PDB file of all heavy atoms in Angstrom:
ATOM      1  N   GLN A  29       3.467  48.648  68.466  1.00  0.00           N
ATOM      2  CA  GLN A  29       3.048  47.287  68.165  1.00  0.00           C
ATOM      3  C   GLN A  29       1.589  47.048  68.556  1.00  0.00           C
ATOM      4  O   GLN A  29       0.864  46.348  67.872  1.00  0.00           O
ATOM      5  CB  GLN A  29       3.960  46.297  68.906  1.00  0.00           C
ATOM      6  CG  GLN A  29       5.400  46.317  68.417  1.00  0.00           C
ATOM      7  CD  GLN A  29       5.511  45.933  66.958  1.00  0.00           C
ATOM      8  OE1 GLN A  29       4.909  44.968  66.523  1.00  0.00           O
ATOM      9  NE2 GLN A  29       6.280  46.696  66.199  1.00  0.00           N
ATOM     10  N   TRP A  73     -14.510  53.195  58.467  1.00  0.00           N
ATOM     11  CA  TRP A  73     -14.725  54.590  58.899  1.00  0.00           C
ATOM     12  C   TRP A  73     -13.412  55.239  59.321  1.00  0.00           C
ATOM     13  O   TRP A  73     -13.148  56.406  59.015  1.00  0.00           O
ATOM     14  CB  TRP A  73     -15.725  54.631  60.047  1.00  0.00           C
ATOM     15  CG  TRP A  73     -16.085  56.016  60.494  1.00  0.00           C
ATOM     16  CD1 TRP A  73     -15.754  56.613  61.678  1.00  0.00           C
ATOM     17  CD2 TRP A  73     -16.846  56.984  59.765  1.00  0.00           C
ATOM     18  NE1 TRP A  73     -16.261  57.893  61.737  1.00  0.00           N
ATOM     19  CE2 TRP A  73     -16.937  58.147  60.573  1.00  0.00           C
ATOM     20  CE3 TRP A  73     -17.450  56.993  58.514  1.00  0.00           C
ATOM     21  CZ2 TRP A  73     -17.611  59.298  60.169  1.00  0.00           C
ATOM     22  CZ3 TRP A  73     -18.131  58.140  58.109  1.00  0.00           C
ATOM     23  CH2 TRP A  73     -18.200  59.265  58.929  1.00  0.00           C
ATOM     24  N   GLN A 113     -23.375  60.461  53.973  1.00  0.00           N
ATOM     25  CA  GLN A 113     -23.476  61.664  54.804  1.00  0.00           C
ATOM     26  C   GLN A 113     -22.195  62.492  54.772  1.00  0.00           C
ATOM     27  O   GLN A 113     -22.194  63.655  55.181  1.00  0.00           O
ATOM     28  CB  GLN A 113     -23.836  61.297  56.248  1.00  0.00           C
ATOM     29  CG  GLN A 113     -22.692  60.696  57.083  1.00  0.00           C
ATOM     30  CD  GLN A 113     -22.499  59.202  56.877  1.00  0.00           C
ATOM     31  OE1 GLN A 113     -22.875  58.650  55.846  1.00  0.00           O
ATOM     32  NE2 GLN A 113     -21.922  58.547  57.868  1.00  0.00           N
ATOM     33  N   SER A 116     -20.759  65.080  50.582  1.00  0.00           N
ATOM     34  CA  SER A 116     -20.785  66.521  50.309  1.00  0.00           C
ATOM     35  C   SER A 116     -19.573  67.216  50.915  1.00  0.00           C
ATOM     36  O   SER A 116     -18.934  68.058  50.276  1.00  0.00           O
ATOM     37  CB  SER A 116     -22.066  67.134  50.868  1.00  0.00           C
ATOM     38  OG  SER A 116     -22.066  68.529  50.688  1.00  0.00           O
ATOM     39  N   ASN A 201     -17.668  87.625  53.736  1.00  0.00           N
ATOM     40  CA  ASN A 201     -17.547  87.496  52.284  1.00  0.00           C
ATOM     41  C   ASN A 201     -18.449  88.488  51.549  1.00  0.00           C
ATOM     42  O   ASN A 201     -18.057  89.057  50.522  1.00  0.00           O
ATOM     43  CB  ASN A 201     -17.884  86.070  51.846  1.00  0.00           C
ATOM     44  CG  ASN A 201     -16.716  85.119  52.031  1.00  0.00           C
ATOM     45  OD1 ASN A 201     -15.577  85.462  51.745  1.00  0.00           O
ATOM     46  ND2 ASN A 201     -16.988  83.928  52.516  1.00  0.00           N
ATOM     47  N   LYS A 309      11.328  95.854  62.560  1.00  0.00           N
ATOM     48  CA  LYS A 309      11.272  94.749  63.511  1.00  0.00           C
ATOM     49  C   LYS A 309      11.075  93.422  62.787  1.00  0.00           C
ATOM     50  O   LYS A 309      11.734  92.426  63.065  1.00  0.00           O
ATOM     51  CB  LYS A 309      10.118  94.986  64.505  1.00  0.00           C
ATOM     52  CG  LYS A 309       9.952  93.884  65.540  1.00  0.00           C
ATOM     53  CD  LYS A 309       8.804  94.203  66.482  1.00  0.00           C
ATOM     54  CE  LYS A 309       8.572  93.089  67.480  1.00  0.00           C
ATOM     55  NZ  LYS A 309       7.433  93.381  68.383  1.00  0.00           N
TER      56      LYS A 309
END
Side-chain angles (χ1 to χ4, degrees):
Q29 294 299 314
W73 184 249
Q113 75 277 24
S116 176
N201 279 318
K309 179 180 177 181

